[in-house]
Amino acid sequence: MNLQWYPGHMTKAKRQMQEDIKLIDVVVELLDARIPVSSRNPDIRTLAGGKSRVVLLNKADLAEEVETLRWKERLEQEGSFVALVNAKNGSGVKNVQFVIRQACQEKLERDRKRGILNRPVRAMIVGIPNVGKSTFINSFAGRACAKTGNKPGVTKGKQWIRLNKNVELLDTPGILWPKFEDPQVGRNLAFIGSIRDEVVNTLELALELIACLTEQHPGLLTQKYEIEEGEDAVSVLSGLAIRRGCKRKGDEPDLEKAAALLLDDFRNGRLGRVTLELA
Ligand code: G4P
């Protein structure tokens, strides 16, 4: 799904989340490991209230491993329980249930003291659009898990996925919104393809990406496309257009086409693993 939010969406999503949060023990927030700040919802602390929180750095396959580990450490220092995940191929997904249990340790201990044993921990997946919630739920739940169905009077209308005797998952994820007001956030979300290309200027975006990559990862574009990086972003893009045979009539370099190609390569990991926000 691509981002296209209106105030009405946000109010509805917020209300829904506030309802759902009452039913669960732990909020599992998915972030994009390439942009852990920009993919984070500004109000999650308030929304999650006193519930335990787990942060999953998803799409870890597209981010730089060292940077993702730095983020993990930083988020843990801030009090979150963190796991690295690739929801698409399932790596790291199995470990999440242990992290969820860890995050709920205090609650489980309280339950135990009150004689409540074997009550599964209830979790809910939340995150901004396109961060990988559905992919994660499918991967986490797997084929073996049956839906437990509605429990009349208790969780009316809600479906739970029983992962095992320890963990149950609400089958509908909570959709959060990003920090729209921050232009840097908008730019980062556009880079990774979470804002519809129809509403952004692809050429401008590609030029910004070139500026960002040549500053943060000097040499990367030269290495991948065998083009000069030294000049300004327009000449880098022009070099890419020539190199890749993107031409208009009269042999003019087709910058629009080269922009689309660059963005596509970046989003699909063909430029290698790139973390845009550092811990
Ligand atoms: P959402 O529910 O949060 O909106 O996200 P969704 O699961 O639909 O995932 C959005 C896109 O991100 C999908 O790609 C999905 O395959 C991809 N994705 C999710 N997790 C990972 C991950 O860990 N690594 C990588 N590389 N990609 C991930 P898509 O292009 O929309 O669809 P498709 O390519 O799977 O057909």
Side-chain angles (χ1 to χ4, degrees):
M1 196 210 306
N2 288 316
L3 278 187
Q4 218 188 4
W5 279 88
Y6 304 104
H9 280 156
M10 274 169 63
T11 315
K12 191 161 173 259
K14 204 167 187 167
R15 211 179 297 128
Q16 184 62 53
M17 181 131 358
Q18 279 161 339
E19 283 308 304
D20 288 344
I21 275 175
K22 291 181 195 154
L23 309 172
I24 50 128
D25 305 303
V26 53
V27 175
V28 180
E29 185 192 8
L30 260 78
L31 302 183
D32 189 306
R34 293 166 294 176
I35 49 166
V37 179
S38 297
S39 57
R40 188 149 223 197
N41 173 273
D43 302 330
I44 187 68
R45 259 173 223 277
T46 326
L47 279 168
K51 306 287 172 167
S52 307
R53 288 215 318 276
V54 167
V55 174
L56 302 183
L57 291 165
N58 190 38
K59 307 200 186 185
D61 54 309
L62 299 174
E64 292 159 63
E65 206 166 3
V66 176
E67 296 306 331
T68 310
L69 289 170
R70 283 206 183 112
W71 271 113
K72 180 174 187 288
E73 204 178 313
R74 172 161 162 198
L75 292 163
E76 281 171 349
Q77 278 164 1
E78 287 170 13
S80 294
F81 290 82
V82 186
L84 274 50
V85 177
N86 171 352
K88 201 165 178 173
N89 81 354
S91 79
V93 169
K94 222 169 169 196
N95 176 44
V96 173
Q97 56 176 296
F98 301 109
V99 181
I100 287 178
R101 295 284 292 183
Q102 255 178 357
C104 295
Q105 222 28 267
E106 274 179 30
K107 183 184 167 36
L108 291 169
E109 191 55 28
R110 273 200 310 275
D111 279 358
R112 201 182 59 78
K113 284 192 179 135
R114 284 156 59 205
I116 305 168
L117 297 174
N118 304 326
R119 197 183 70 81
V121 164
R122 288 193 151 176
M124 174 186 179
I125 307 300
V126 304
I128 65 166
N130 210 40
V131 76
K133 296 178 295 299
S134 319
T135 312
F136 176 77
I137 290 176
N138 286 338
S139 172
F140 196 42
R143 270 176 300 132
C145 299
K147 288 184 178 175
T148 57
N150 297 340
K151 293 187 178 161
V154 186
T155 57
K156 200 157 167 275
K158 296 290 164 196
Q159 291 262 310
W160 296 89
I161 303 167
R162 177 175 274 260
L163 292 171
N164 51 40
K165 65 178 180 22
N166 293 325
V167 183
E168 282 186 0
L169 195 68
L170 191 61
D171 85 333
T172 40
I175 303 172
L176 299 173
W177 54 96
K179 285 177 232 150
F180 299 109
E181 60 287 355
D182 184 338
Q184 187 95 342
V185 168
R187 196 199 64 168
N188 284 335
L189 291 170
F191 284 162
I192 65 162
S194 285
I195 293 179
R196 296 192 314 134
D197 275 343
E198 297 89 272
V199 299
V200 296
N201 181 326
T202 317
L203 182 56
E204 253 171 47
L205 188 66
L207 292 173
E208 285 190 44
L209 182 61
I210 289 171
C212 179
L213 290 176
T214 47
E215 191 195 326
Q216 288 188 14
H217 296 81
L220 179 71
L221 294 172
T222 304
Q223 187 198 332
K224 294 289 170 187
Y225 296 120
E226 297 172 7
I227 50 175
E228 283 290 324
E229 264 181 29
E231 306 288 321
D232 61 299
V234 177
S235 41
V236 174
L237 192 62
S238 181
L240 173 60
I242 295 164
R243 186 93 209 151
R244 285 299 173 95
C246 307
K247 286 181 198 158
R248 289 185 190 285
K249 272 188 202 144
D251 262 7
E252 279 291 299
D254 187 340
L255 296 187
E256 264 89 17
K257 207 164 170 187
L261 186 145
L262 173 71
L263 289 168
D264 197 50
D265 281 353
F266 175 72
R267 290 168 184 169
N268 290 299
R270 285 191 290 270
L271 297 186
R273 292 162 164 243
V274 178
T275 303
L276 292 171
E277 288 175 331
L278 306 181

